[in-house]
Amino acid sequence: MDSEMQPTPSAPSDGTDIEPCPVRGCTIPVDLIIVSKDKKHISAHTSNLGQFSNGFPAPHALSELARGAVSGPEQARLEETADVLRLLLRFMHHTHLPDLDVLPFATVAGMAEAAEKYEVFSAIALGKACMKRRAENQIKPLQPHDALKVLFYALKHGYNDIADSAALRTLDVSLDQFLPLAEFAGVSQHIIRWVRYREQHQHKLQNILSWCRFNSPGPHQDDGGVSFCSQWSEFENEVIGMFTTHLSWVYKFADIVERHAERKQTFREDTLTYSDEAGFVLTCNTLPGCTIPVDLILVSRDEKCISAHTSNLGQFSNGFPAPHASIEFAQETVSGLRLLEEAHLEETGDVLRLLLWFMHHTHLPDLDALPFETVAGMAEAAEKYEVFSAIAFGKLYMMRRVENQAKPLLSHESAKVLFYALKHGYDDLADSAALGTLDLTLDLFLTQAEDEGVSPQHVIQWVSSL
C-alpha cells in the first residue's frame, strides 16, 4: 500500500460525515459507502469486497443500496454496528490482520458473526479462534451474558467444542433471561436442550454437595493426642455456600478434585459436555459443516448421543432403523415441546459416527488412519444396515489389513476379520485371515467366536484345520 492517505469522499448533501477506509494508509479508490446500524458512514471498496468475501452485498445487488441525492459513491445499509464493520473491513485488505485480544469483546463477537454472514474466511478463522480462547480462558473467565453470546455463536455455526466450553459459563443464567436472548439470537430451537443440560448440572451439584456433607475427613491427632479438625466445618460451609449461589462453579470443583487421585476417576466419568455425553446434541456431530437438519438422535451402546438425519438414513441405507419403527424410541416433552426422537443401537459411538460419515454427500474418510476396532465395527454395522458404500470400503480395508505383511494383524484381530468374512460369505478373505489365527488357543477362539455369533459349523471347520 502507498504511504499517502486515500482521498476522503465528498460528504452527502445532508451534511453527514463520511469516515475514511478503516485501514490506515489505504489508497484504493472509494466507490461504496457502508451505512451502519448506528448510522455511521464508512468508506469501502467494491473490488475488495468481491475479492475477500463471498457473501458481502455488492453494488447493484438486491441488498438495500441507495443512490445519494447527488452523484457519488453508492450506499449499502447494513445491520451491523460501525465498530463491527470497521473491524470486518480490515480483514478485506492485503495487510496485517488486527490483534483481536486488545479489542472489546462485544466488537469481536459481532465481527465473528458478521464474518460468518458475509463469508470473509480469514475473519471467520480468527474470530472462531478468539471466541474459543475466550470461552476456555480460566484466568479471565467470561461473564454469563458474554458467555451466552459465544454459546449462541457456536450453536448457529456448528462449533460444538466452543459450545461445550461456553455452556459451562451460562449455568448461572436464569431461564427467564435465557429465553428472550436465545429467541433474539435465532437459536430458540436449542432452548430445551439447554434446559436439560442445566438440569443435569444441577443434579451434579446435588451429588457434589452430598459428597461434601457425607465424606468429611475423620478426626486426626495433634501433637498432644487430642482429636480435632477445627477448621474443617468453616471450610465446608464456605465451599458449599459458594456452590449454592454459583451453579457454574461446579466445573471449578471438578478441577480441584482432579488434583486428588482418590477422587479423580469418579468426577472424570461424571463430566458433562454440551454436545455428547449429556445428550445435548445440537448440530451434526459426525461431519463438520453439515447443515442438514437433525431430526434423530442415535444413542450408542456406550451411551454417546449422535445426531442424525432420517433423510440421509433413507437415502444411503436399506436397513437402518427409521423413526417410528420397532426399535426403542423415546420421546420426551418439556414445557409442552416435543424433543428429538432417540434410537438406541448396539454399536459404539465411534462406530456409528464413522458409519454415518458414509451417509453424507462428501469426501469419504481415510480408514487407514483409524483404529482397527473402529473400522472393523463399522464394516459389520455397514453389512447390518446395508450402507453399500461403507460395505465396499469396509471389505476392502479388511482385505488390505490381512494382506499387509509390514504391519500384520494380531491374532485376535485376524480372528475378527475371519468371523466377519465367514458371516458375510467372503471366502477369499476368510482363507487369508484364517492363517493369522493359528496362534490362538482353542479357549480364546471359542470365546471370541461365541461373542461374534459365528455358527458352530465354522468353529468345527477351524478346529479341523489345526
Side-chain angles (χ1 to χ4, degrees):
M1 267 183 206
D2 298 334
S3 58
E4 67 181 81
M5 296 294 290
Q6 61 174 322
T8 302
S10 58
S13 58
D14 62 1
T16 303
D17 290 333
I18 296 180
E19 301 179 8
C21 172
V23 175
R24 185 182 179 88
C26 176
T27 59
I28 302 172
V30 173
D31 57 0
L32 178 67
I33 302 299
I34 295 178
V35 183
S36 66
K37 182 172 68 174
D38 46 352
K39 295 182 169 50
K40 303 294 184 181
H41 290 63
I42 306 168
S43 300
H45 327 288
T46 56
S47 58
N48 283 36
L49 301 188
Q51 180 180 357
F52 289 95
S53 77
N54 282 347
F56 215 92
H60 315 296
L62 293 177
S63 58
E64 189 181 347
L65 289 168
R67 277 284 184 186
V70 297
S71 178
E74 294 181 338
Q75 294 185 6
R77 301 183 185 275
L78 303 184
E79 300 174 348
E80 291 74 25
T81 65
D83 287 341
V84 167
L85 291 172
R86 292 186 196 105
L87 180 56
L88 184 65
L89 287 172
R90 293 177 64 183
F91 284 86
M92 288 187 275
H93 285 76
H94 284 298
T95 187
H96 292 289
L97 298 182
D99 180 3
L100 301 184
D101 289 337
V102 302
L103 299 175
F105 172 77
T107 302
V108 175
M111 185 281 297
E113 280 287 0
E116 299 278 354
K117 175 180 177 180
Y118 299 119
E119 296 186 9
V120 184
F121 295 113
S122 60
I124 288 174
L126 199 58
K128 178 182 176 183
C130 184
M131 298 289 259
K132 184 176 177 66
R133 286 184 59 204
R134 289 301 307 271
E136 295 175 348
N137 192 333
Q138 301 286 344
I139 298 175
K140 189 180 178 181
L142 288 170
Q143 295 300 311
H145 187 269
D146 290 339
L148 282 178
K149 289 184 179 179
V150 178
L151 176 61
F152 297 155
Y153 157 83
L155 293 180
K156 284 195 281 186
H157 306 298
Y159 302 141
N160 283 344
D161 55 338
I162 300 178
D164 286 342
S165 300
L168 284 170
R169 312 287 184 183
T170 68
L171 296 176
D172 290 333
V173 177
S174 69
L175 183 59
D176 288 341
Q177 293 173 314
F178 185 89
L179 286 174
L181 293 173
E183 292 174 355
F184 181 78
V187 293
S188 57
Q189 70 271 30
H190 300 298
I191 290 174
I192 299 302
R193 295 294 179 184
W194 182 83
V195 170
R196 294 180 64 193
Y197 173 77
R198 188 172 184 270
E199 181 182 11
Q200 288 177 335
H201 270 286
Q202 288 174 331
H203 288 314
K204 184 178 182 181
L205 174 60
Q206 292 172 357
N207 292 337
I208 290 174
L209 298 182
S210 297
W211 181 85
C212 288
R213 292 189 177 102
F214 295 106
N215 291 272
S216 300
H220 63 274
Q221 301 288 325
D222 70 353
D223 293 339
V226 178
S227 298
F228 79 104
C229 183
S230 61
Q231 298 179 349
W232 172 258
S233 178
E234 179 182 352
F235 169 76
E236 179 183 22
N237 290 335
E238 181 180 353
V239 171
I240 291 177
M242 288 190 300
F243 289 136
T244 303
T245 55
H246 298 282
L247 178 60
S248 63
W249 287 5
V250 170
Y251 72 91
K252 293 184 179 180
F253 183 81
D255 290 341
I256 295 172
V257 172
E258 284 189 356
R259 290 195 281 269
H260 298 77
E262 69 274 13
R263 291 293 296 172
K264 180 175 181 179
Q265 186 61 35
T266 299
F267 280 90
R268 287 182 66 87
E269 290 175 351
D270 288 345
T271 299
L272 299 173
T273 68
Y274 202 59
S275 60
D276 200 347
E277 285 83 0
F280 205 157
V281 178
L282 308 170
T283 58
C284 179
N285 55 7
T286 298
L287 196 66
C290 175
T291 59
I292 302 172
V294 173
D295 54 5
L296 177 66
I297 302 301
L298 303 181
V299 182
S300 65
R301 185 178 66 199
D302 48 351
E303 297 182 352
K304 305 293 184 183
C305 293
I306 303 161
S307 52
H309 327 288
T310 55
S311 59
N312 282 32
L313 301 187
Q315 181 179 357
F316 291 95
S317 76
N318 282 345
F320 213 90
H324 316 298
S326 58
I327 194 165
E328 179 186 356
F329 280 103
Q331 293 191 41
E332 298 182 61
T333 300
V334 178
S335 300
L337 296 179
R338 178 176 167 274
L339 300 181
L340 296 181
E341 292 182 332
E342 295 181 356
H344 294 257
L345 303 183
E346 299 174 353
E347 291 74 20
T348 66
D350 288 341
V351 166
L352 289 174
R353 289 190 187 97
L354 180 56
L355 183 65
L356 288 174
W357 196 335
F358 283 87
M359 288 188 273
H360 287 78
H361 283 297
T362 186
H363 295 287
L364 297 181
D366 179 9
L367 300 184
D368 291 336
L370 301 175
F372 171 83
E373 289 291 329
T374 301
V375 180
M378 183 281 296
E380 279 286 359
E383 298 280 350
K384 175 180 177 181
Y385 300 121
E386 296 187 9
V387 183
F388 296 114
S389 60
I391 288 174
F393 277 84
K395 180 183 176 183
L396 179 61
Y397 171 87
M398 296 293 223
M399 289 289 295
R400 292 179 59 223
R401 286 304 309 270
V402 166
E403 295 168 355
N404 190 342
Q405 298 298 324
K407 188 180 179 182
L409 291 170
L410 300 175
S411 296
H412 75 278
E413 293 173 338
S414 294
K416 186 174 284 288
V417 177
L418 173 61
F419 300 147
Y420 158 85
L422 291 175
K423 284 193 285 184
H424 305 297
Y426 303 140
D427 293 340
D428 292 344
L429 178 58
D431 290 341
S432 299
L435 291 173
T437 66
L438 298 179
D439 291 335
L440 285 176
T441 66
L442 180 59
D443 287 341
L444 286 175
F445 184 87
L446 291 175
T447 299
Q448 194 169 346
E450 183 177 358
D451 292 341
E452 296 287 345
V454 176
S455 68
Q457 178 184 357
H458 289 134
V459 174
I460 294 172
Q461 284 181 312
W462 183 84
V463 173
S464 300
S465 66
L466 295 177

